[in-house]
């Protein structure tokens, strides 16, 4: 089926461009020469199978970025603010109560499989309640954590292994794509020489 598509493609190219595959011309005919190299060049640029092979290889290459993203540094931030001015059952409870929280965090996984995180929380409260000892309250907190797996992913074996497997898959996809491109170009070359043979046979019969 592929060789038939290549023959149709090459034949259409010759008729549309006005090409004689042999470079020969009859009197009164306008001839544009098409060499084998030019036919292959046209196939590389226009053959659907070649384009699909290139596209598949490009898609597969994105898998590496996905696997390596496990080692990205992640930044998280959260802010919330509450202002309570609702009427209370007693004036001693105050008429203004505010609370603000500002949280910031950093986390990252190392190549050894170690997960580290640094979190900073900042809580601020203020009130005009008569029962409150402090009218304004401020509490910052800094927390650092480290987690090291000791099981199957000890030393980051699974994470690094996934990356290496992905690299091998990308190489295999590249090789498969090259095989598909070579097959398409071989079919084009075969169609070219079949057309040359048909042209020779036609000239002999004439």
């Amino acid at each position: 089926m592929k060789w038939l598509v290549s023959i149709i493609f090459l034949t259409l190219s010759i008729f549309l461009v006005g090409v004689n595959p042999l470079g020969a011309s009859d009197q009164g005919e306008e001839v544009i020469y098409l060499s084998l190299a030019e036919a292959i060049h046209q196939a590389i640029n226009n053959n659907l199978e070649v384009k699909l092979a290139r596209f598949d290889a490009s898609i597969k290459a994105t898998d590496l970025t996905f696997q390596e993203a496990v080692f990205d540094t992640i930044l998280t931030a959260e802010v919330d603010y509450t202002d309570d001015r609702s009427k209370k059952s007693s004036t001693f409870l105050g008429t203004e109560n505010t609370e603000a929280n500002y949280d910031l965090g950093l986390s990252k996984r190392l190549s050894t499989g170690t997960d580290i995180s640094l979190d900073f929380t900042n809580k601020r409260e203020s009130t005009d309640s008569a029962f409150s000892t402090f009218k304004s309250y401020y509490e910052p907190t800094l927390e650092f954590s480290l987690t090291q797996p000791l099981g199957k992913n000890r030393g980051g074996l699974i994470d690094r292994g996934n990356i290496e497997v992905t690299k091998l898959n990308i190489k295999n996809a590249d090789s498969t794509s090259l095989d598909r491109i070579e097959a398409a170009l071989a079919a084009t070359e075969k169609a070219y020489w079949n057309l040359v043979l048909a042209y020779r046979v036609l000239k002999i019969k004439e």
Side-chain angles (χ1 to χ4, degrees):
M1 184 63 182
K2 291 182 179 179
W3 65 268
L4 180 60
V5 173
S6 298
I7 291 177
I8 295 174
F9 164 75
L10 186 59
T11 305
L12 288 176
S13 299
I14 292 174
F15 280 104
L16 291 176
V17 183
V19 172
N20 187 330
L22 297 177
S25 62
D26 296 330
Q27 293 182 354
E29 293 181 355
E30 181 181 358
V31 178
I32 300 176
Y33 294 92
L34 178 67
S35 65
L36 177 60
E38 291 170 336
I40 293 176
H41 179 73
Q42 291 292 328
I44 292 175
N45 292 331
N46 300 295
N47 188 282
L48 180 60
E49 181 66 17
V50 173
K51 290 183 177 180
L52 290 176
R54 288 177 171 177
F55 188 65
D56 290 343
S58 299
I59 292 177
K60 194 63 179 178
T62 61
D63 290 348
L64 181 59
T65 302
F66 175 78
Q67 292 295 337
E68 291 178 339
V70 71
F71 300 119
D72 282 352
T73 300
I74 300 175
L75 171 66
T76 59
E78 182 179 357
V79 177
D80 65 80
Y81 177 78
T82 304
D83 187 359
D84 184 7
R85 297 178 183 269
S86 60
K87 292 183 179 181
K88 305 296 188 296
S89 58
S90 173
T91 57
F92 293 102
L93 297 177
T95 58
E96 182 178 353
N97 298 279
T98 62
E99 179 181 338
N101 294 285
Y102 308 95
D103 301 332
L104 187 67
L106 284 173
S107 61
K108 180 178 178 60
R109 174 171 292 183
L110 304 179
S111 59
T112 57
T114 307
D115 291 322
I116 58 176
S117 63
L118 181 65
D119 297 297
F120 174 72
T121 59
N122 185 9
K123 183 177 182 181
R124 185 186 296 270
E125 295 181 355
S126 63
T127 180
D128 60 355
S129 173
F131 294 103
S132 178
T133 305
F134 302 100
K135 300 300 181 182
S136 181
Y137 174 75
Y138 175 70
E139 182 184 5
T141 303
L142 184 64
E143 181 180 353
F144 175 79
S145 65
L146 185 148
T147 304
Q148 176 63 52
L150 300 177
K152 295 182 180 180
N153 195 33
R154 62 184 182 279
L157 293 177
I158 293 179
D159 295 330
R160 296 198 305 273
N162 289 336
I163 291 177
E164 293 303 319
V165 170
T166 300
K167 290 180 179 179
L168 291 176
N169 289 336
I170 291 174
K171 289 183 179 180
N172 291 336
D174 290 341
S175 299
T176 302
S177 297
L178 288 176
D179 291 341
R180 292 168 60 184
I181 292 174
E182 289 177 354
L185 296 182
T188 300
E189 187 173 351
K190 182 178 179 180
Y192 180 90
W193 290 117
N194 285 338
L195 190 59
V196 170
L197 176 62
Y199 178 81
R200 293 294 188 185
V201 171
L202 177 62
K203 286 299 181 182
I204 292 173
K205 289 183 178 180
E206 288 179 350

